[in-house]
Amino acid sequence: MTDLLVRPAVAADLDAVLAFWKTAAEGTSISDDRDGVERLVARDPEALLLAEREGELVGTVIAGFDGWRCHLYRLAVHPDHRRRGIGSALLTAADERFVRLGGRRGDAMVLVRNERAQHAWRAAGYEPQEQWRRWVKHLTD
């Protein structure tokens, strides 16, 4: 895995990231637009982690820390590069970032219907917490 580079995204990466998510990520988000990703990178320049192999974007994860909790979003690996340790490398980088920031527990939002992701998160040491339910309110139309 020495040919894999994991690094924070910069502004020049954002269009490629958005295009990548259309291919590699399951589902869409209200924040999947240029403005949303620019706000993320402006607020926390190290939160959006990219995995590259030979200059090609092959994976992403958002490792957000709000000072209280560690949140993981958008773990995505290109379908042609799955099962090669890229997701694990991204999660290791996210865990290391959280520890540096003083985080104590990471959580991930995973679509219930995304069975592949359920298996990947479980293999990475995460487990569902059935006692919690996510509540959402869209703030814009």
Side-chain angles (χ1 to χ4, degrees), residues 77-89:
V77 176
H78 191 282
D80 294 341
H81 295 270
R82 290 183 179 152
R83 312 246 348 124
R84 297 182 189 173
I86 295 166
S88 294

Side-chain angles (χ1 to χ4, degrees), residues 21 25-29 32 74 111 113:
W21 285 343
E26 178 75 24
T28 59
S29 166
D32 285 355
R74 285 293 183 217
L111 291 170
R113 70 173 189 260

Side-chain angles (χ1 to χ4, degrees), residues 135-140:
W135 294 62
V136 300
K137 175 183 175 184
H138 292 271
L139 302 175
T140 59

Side-chain angles (χ1 to χ4, degrees), residues 60-138:
T60 67
V61 70
I62 298 173
F65 182 64
D66 60 14
W68 179 258
R69 299 265 166 84
C70 306
H71 304 285
L72 294 157
Y73 309 92
R74 285 293 183 217
L75 176 62
V77 176
H78 191 282
D80 294 341
H81 295 270
R82 290 183 179 152
R83 312 246 348 124
R84 297 182 189 173
I86 295 166
S88 294
L90 284 162
L91 289 177
T92 296
D95 289 349
E96 290 169 356
R97 169 179 155 72
F98 292 151
V99 168
R100 273 194 321 273
L101 294 171
R104 297 181 184 173
R105 179 182 70 188
D107 65 52
M109 293 177 37
V110 183
L111 291 170
V112 172
R113 70 173 189 260
N114 190 343
E115 300 254 343
R116 178 181 290 125
Q118 303 288 333
H119 294 293
W121 285 103
R122 195 174 314 282
Y126 287 78
E127 57 189 45
Q129 286 190 310
E130 302 300 332
Q131 72 271 29
W132 296 100
R133 180 164 311 260
R134 181 174 176 226
W135 294 62
V136 300
K137 175 183 175 184
H138 292 271

